[in-house]
Amino acid sequence: AQTVTQSQPEMSVQEAETVTLSCTYDTSESDYYLFWYKQPPSRQMILVIRQEAYKQQNATENRFSVNFQKAAKSFSLKISDSQLGDAAMYFCAYRTNFGNEKLTFGTGTRLTIIP
Amino acid sequence: EAQVTQNPRYLITVTGKKLTVTCSQNMNHEYMSWYRQDPGLGLRQIYYSMNVEVTDKGDVPEGYKVSRKEKRNFPLILESPSPNQTSLYFCASSPWTSGGDPNTGELFFGEGSRLTVL
């Protein structure tokens, strides 16, 4: 079974600075998706960024980018120019491409932005 | 507007009183799923459905039932709720199934239902 590990329960960053959230996963599959979801106080799950495992190029969405290391099974999220609205719980998630296409989530990292 | 709608958003109930949390999506998605979120545990899958009349257990199915009689609806049923089912529940859907048309792989989430069982 796949597992996702987020080893940083809490992180904080000064506004306008850069922060990196860590995520590692374990799988024996070669074809899968990885995601970062943001959960603000409203509790809504908001997709931040996605990465297809077959793509070597790291995904980027505006101020958000990932460092995808397939061999190391690592998938970190970098947030540049942090803004107050980035404060939230961030979940890393794995989705298989076979059978039950469930998302396997990490336990989350709570990000605080310091003004 | 494309969306996944859950009801109720908040519910306080008592042990043993049957309840249903409804979920409806307007995107014609084949795949639907229920998750529960608990502090320190992230989100865990309860049940999923790959199409109408096709449902199966996820990682934490005990105490829950589901049905998929229509493509758009996927209700979660708690026949006899207990306090350990106090949680935040999410319904999610996706247009993507194994071997089908590849897209982003993204799951679309409802806004969550906060359930408290006393």
Side-chain angles (χ1 to χ4, degrees), chain A residues 12-38:
Chain A
S12 61
V13 62
Q14 293 276 354
E15 193 176 2
E17 296 296 309
T18 296
V19 64
T20 298
L21 307 184
S22 300
C23 173
T24 59
Y25 59 95
D26 188 25
T27 184
S28 58
E29 298 174 341
S30 60
D31 189 13
Y32 50 86
Y33 288 96
L34 295 165
F35 303 87
W36 280 97
Y37 278 88
K38 170 185 178 181

Short mmCIF file of all heavy atoms in Angstrom, two decimals, chain A residues 12-38:
data_model
loop_
_atom_site.label_atom_id
_atom_site.label_comp_id
_atom_site.label_asym_id
_atom_site.label_seq_id
_atom_site.Cartn_x
_atom_site.Cartn_y
_atom_site.Cartn_z
N SER A 12 6.62 28.00 9.67
CA SER A 12 6.29 29.41 9.62
C SER A 12 7.29 30.11 8.71
O SER A 12 8.43 29.65 8.55
CB SER A 12 6.28 30.04 11.01
OG SER A 12 7.56 29.93 11.60
N VAL A 13 6.84 31.21 8.12
CA VAL A 13 7.69 31.95 7.21
C VAL A 13 7.31 33.42 7.28
O VAL A 13 6.14 33.76 7.49
CB VAL A 13 7.56 31.41 5.77
CG1 VAL A 13 6.14 31.57 5.25
CG2 VAL A 13 8.56 32.05 4.83
N GLN A 14 8.29 34.27 7.09
CA GLN A 14 8.03 35.70 7.03
C GLN A 14 7.35 36.02 5.70
O GLN A 14 7.66 35.43 4.66
CB GLN A 14 9.33 36.48 7.14
CG GLN A 14 10.03 36.37 8.48
CD GLN A 14 9.47 37.37 9.48
OE1 GLN A 14 8.66 38.21 9.15
NE2 GLN A 14 9.93 37.26 10.73
N GLU A 15 6.45 36.95 5.76
CA GLU A 15 5.79 37.42 4.54
C GLU A 15 6.85 37.84 3.53
O GLU A 15 7.86 38.47 3.89
CB GLU A 15 4.88 38.59 4.89
CG GLU A 15 3.90 38.99 3.80
CD GLU A 15 2.96 40.10 4.27
OE1 GLU A 15 3.11 40.58 5.42
OE2 GLU A 15 2.09 40.49 3.48
N ALA A 16 6.62 37.47 2.25
CA ALA A 16 7.51 37.78 1.12
C ALA A 16 8.72 36.84 1.01
O ALA A 16 9.45 36.91 0.02
CB ALA A 16 7.99 39.22 1.13
N GLU A 17 8.91 35.99 2.01
CA GLU A 17 10.02 35.05 1.94
C GLU A 17 9.57 33.74 1.27
O GLU A 17 8.40 33.58 0.89
CB GLU A 17 10.55 34.76 3.36
CG GLU A 17 11.16 35.97 4.05
CD GLU A 17 12.39 36.47 3.33
OE1 GLU A 17 13.30 35.66 3.05
OE2 GLU A 17 12.43 37.69 3.03
N THR A 18 10.52 32.84 1.14
CA THR A 18 10.27 31.54 0.50
C THR A 18 10.29 30.43 1.53
O THR A 18 11.10 30.45 2.47
CB THR A 18 11.34 31.28 -0.58
OG1 THR A 18 11.21 32.28 -1.61
CG2 THR A 18 11.17 29.90 -1.19
N VAL A 19 9.40 29.48 1.36
CA VAL A 19 9.33 28.35 2.27
C VAL A 19 9.16 27.06 1.47
O VAL A 19 8.54 27.07 0.39
CB VAL A 19 8.16 28.51 3.28
CG1 VAL A 19 6.81 28.51 2.57
CG2 VAL A 19 8.21 27.46 4.36
N THR A 20 9.72 25.98 1.98
CA THR A 20 9.60 24.68 1.32
C THR A 20 8.99 23.67 2.28
O THR A 20 9.48 23.49 3.40
CB THR A 20 10.97 24.18 0.85
OG1 THR A 20 11.50 25.10 -0.12
CG2 THR A 20 10.85 22.81 0.20
N LEU A 21 7.95 23.03 1.82
CA LEU A 21 7.27 21.99 2.60
C LEU A 21 7.68 20.63 2.04
O LEU A 21 7.67 20.41 0.82
CB LEU A 21 5.74 22.14 2.50
CG LEU A 21 5.17 23.53 2.84
CD1 LEU A 21 3.65 23.49 2.80
CD2 LEU A 21 5.68 24.03 4.17
N SER A 22 7.99 19.71 2.93
CA SER A 22 8.52 18.41 2.52
C SER A 22 7.45 17.34 2.44
O SER A 22 6.46 17.37 3.19
CB SER A 22 9.60 17.96 3.50
OG SER A 22 10.66 18.89 3.55
N CYS A 23 7.67 16.40 1.55
CA CYS A 23 6.77 15.26 1.40
C CYS A 23 7.55 14.10 0.80
O CYS A 23 8.28 14.27 -0.17
CB CYS A 23 5.59 15.61 0.49
SG CYS A 23 4.50 14.21 0.09
N THR A 24 7.42 12.95 1.42
CA THR A 24 7.97 11.73 0.82
C THR A 24 6.84 10.71 0.72
O THR A 24 5.85 10.78 1.45
CB THR A 24 9.12 11.16 1.65
OG1 THR A 24 8.66 10.87 2.97
CG2 THR A 24 10.29 12.12 1.71
N TYR A 25 7.01 9.77 -0.17
CA TYR A 25 5.96 8.77 -0.37
C TYR A 25 6.63 7.43 -0.67
O TYR A 25 7.81 7.36 -1.02
CB TYR A 25 5.02 9.20 -1.51
CG TYR A 25 5.71 9.39 -2.83
CD1 TYR A 25 5.74 8.38 -3.77
CD2 TYR A 25 6.34 10.60 -3.13
CE1 TYR A 25 6.39 8.55 -4.99
CE2 TYR A 25 6.98 10.79 -4.34
CZ TYR A 25 7.01 9.76 -5.26
OH TYR A 25 7.66 9.94 -6.46
N ASP A 26 5.84 6.41 -0.54
CA ASP A 26 6.34 5.07 -0.80
C ASP A 26 5.37 4.36 -1.73
O ASP A 26 4.16 4.33 -1.47
CB ASP A 26 6.48 4.28 0.51
CG ASP A 26 7.17 2.95 0.29
OD1 ASP A 26 7.95 2.84 -0.68
OD2 ASP A 26 6.94 2.03 1.08
N THR A 27 5.87 3.83 -2.82
CA THR A 27 5.05 3.11 -3.77
C THR A 27 5.92 2.19 -4.60
O THR A 27 7.12 2.44 -4.76
CB THR A 27 4.30 4.09 -4.70
OG1 THR A 27 3.43 3.34 -5.56
CG2 THR A 27 5.25 4.90 -5.54
N SER A 28 5.31 1.16 -5.13
CA SER A 28 6.01 0.28 -6.05
C SER A 28 5.56 0.52 -7.49
O SER A 28 6.05 -0.13 -8.41
CB SER A 28 5.75 -1.18 -5.67
OG SER A 28 4.36 -1.46 -5.69
N GLU A 29 4.64 1.48 -7.67
CA GLU A 29 4.12 1.77 -8.99
C GLU A 29 5.01 2.78 -9.71
O GLU A 29 5.77 3.52 -9.09
CB GLU A 29 2.69 2.31 -8.88
CG GLU A 29 1.73 1.30 -8.27
CD GLU A 29 0.35 1.88 -8.02
OE1 GLU A 29 0.22 3.11 -7.98
OE2 GLU A 29 -0.60 1.09 -7.87
N SER A 30 4.88 2.79 -11.02
CA SER A 30 5.67 3.73 -11.82
C SER A 30 4.80 4.84 -12.41
O SER A 30 5.32 5.87 -12.83
CB SER A 30 6.38 2.98 -12.95
OG SER A 30 5.42 2.34 -13.79
N ASP A 31 3.48 4.63 -12.41
CA ASP A 31 2.57 5.59 -13.02
C ASP A 31 1.59 6.08 -11.96
O ASP A 31 0.78 5.31 -11.45
CB ASP A 31 1.82 4.92 -14.18
CG ASP A 31 1.02 5.92 -14.98
OD1 ASP A 31 1.23 7.14 -14.80
OD2 ASP A 31 0.18 5.48 -15.79
N TYR A 32 1.67 7.37 -11.64
CA TYR A 32 0.82 7.90 -10.58
C TYR A 32 0.83 9.42 -10.66
O TYR A 32 1.54 10.02 -11.49
CB TYR A 32 1.30 7.44 -9.20
CG TYR A 32 2.79 7.65 -8.95
CD1 TYR A 32 3.27 8.85 -8.46
CD2 TYR A 32 3.69 6.63 -9.20
CE1 TYR A 32 4.62 9.04 -8.25
CE2 TYR A 32 5.04 6.80 -8.99
CZ TYR A 32 5.51 8.01 -8.51
OH TYR A 32 6.85 8.19 -8.30
N TYR A 33 0.00 10.03 -9.84
CA TYR A 33 -0.05 11.48 -9.72
C TYR A 33 0.33 11.88 -8.29
O TYR A 33 0.05 11.16 -7.34
CB TYR A 33 -1.46 12.03 -9.99
CG TYR A 33 -1.91 11.98 -11.42
CD1 TYR A 33 -2.69 10.93 -11.89
CD2 TYR A 33 -1.58 13.00 -12.30
CE1 TYR A 33 -3.13 10.91 -13.20
CE2 TYR A 33 -2.01 12.99 -13.61
CZ TYR A 33 -2.78 11.93 -14.06
OH TYR A 33 -3.21 11.92 -15.36
N LEU A 34 0.89 13.05 -8.17
CA LEU A 34 1.14 13.66 -6.87
C LEU A 34 0.51 15.04 -6.85
O LEU A 34 0.48 15.75 -7.86
CB LEU A 34 2.65 13.77 -6.61
CG LEU A 34 3.39 12.44 -6.49
CD1 LEU A 34 4.88 12.66 -6.59
CD2 LEU A 34 3.04 11.75 -5.17
N PHE A 35 0.00 15.41 -5.68
CA PHE A 35 -0.70 16.68 -5.53
C PHE A 35 -0.30 17.37 -4.23
O PHE A 35 0.09 16.72 -3.26
CB PHE A 35 -2.22 16.45 -5.46
CG PHE A 35 -2.82 15.73 -6.62
CD1 PHE A 35 -2.87 14.34 -6.65
CD2 PHE A 35 -3.36 16.43 -7.68
CE1 PHE A 35 -3.42 13.66 -7.72
CE2 PHE A 35 -3.93 15.76 -8.76
CZ PHE A 35 -3.96 14.38 -8.78
N TRP A 36 -0.44 18.66 -4.25
CA TRP A 36 -0.48 19.45 -3.03
C TRP A 36 -1.84 20.14 -2.97
O TRP A 36 -2.23 20.82 -3.92
CB TRP A 36 0.63 20.50 -3.00
CG TRP A 36 1.95 19.94 -2.58
CD1 TRP A 36 2.98 19.55 -3.39
CD2 TRP A 36 2.41 19.74 -1.25
NE1 TRP A 36 4.03 19.10 -2.65
CE2 TRP A 36 3.72 19.20 -1.33
CE3 TRP A 36 1.85 19.95 0.02
CZ2 TRP A 36 4.47 18.88 -0.20
CZ3 TRP A 36 2.60 19.63 1.14
CH2 TRP A 36 3.89 19.10 1.02
N TYR A 37 -2.52 19.92 -1.84
CA TYR A 37 -3.79 20.58 -1.59
C TYR A 37 -3.62 21.56 -0.43
O TYR A 37 -2.89 21.29 0.53
CB TYR A 37 -4.89 19.58 -1.22
CG TYR A 37 -5.53 18.88 -2.39
CD1 TYR A 37 -5.00 17.71 -2.90
CD2 TYR A 37 -6.68 19.40 -2.98
CE1 TYR A 37 -5.60 17.06 -3.98
CE2 TYR A 37 -7.29 18.76 -4.06
CZ TYR A 37 -6.74 17.59 -4.55
OH TYR A 37 -7.33 16.96 -5.62
N LYS A 38 -4.33 22.66 -0.52
CA LYS A 38 -4.34 23.68 0.52
C LYS A 38 -5.71 23.65 1.20
O LYS A 38 -6.74 23.59 0.52
CB LYS A 38 -4.10 25.05 -0.11
CG LYS A 38 -4.31 26.24 0.78
CD LYS A 38 -4.14 27.52 -0.02
CE LYS A 38 -4.41 28.76 0.82
NZ LYS A 38 -4.27 30.01 0.02
#
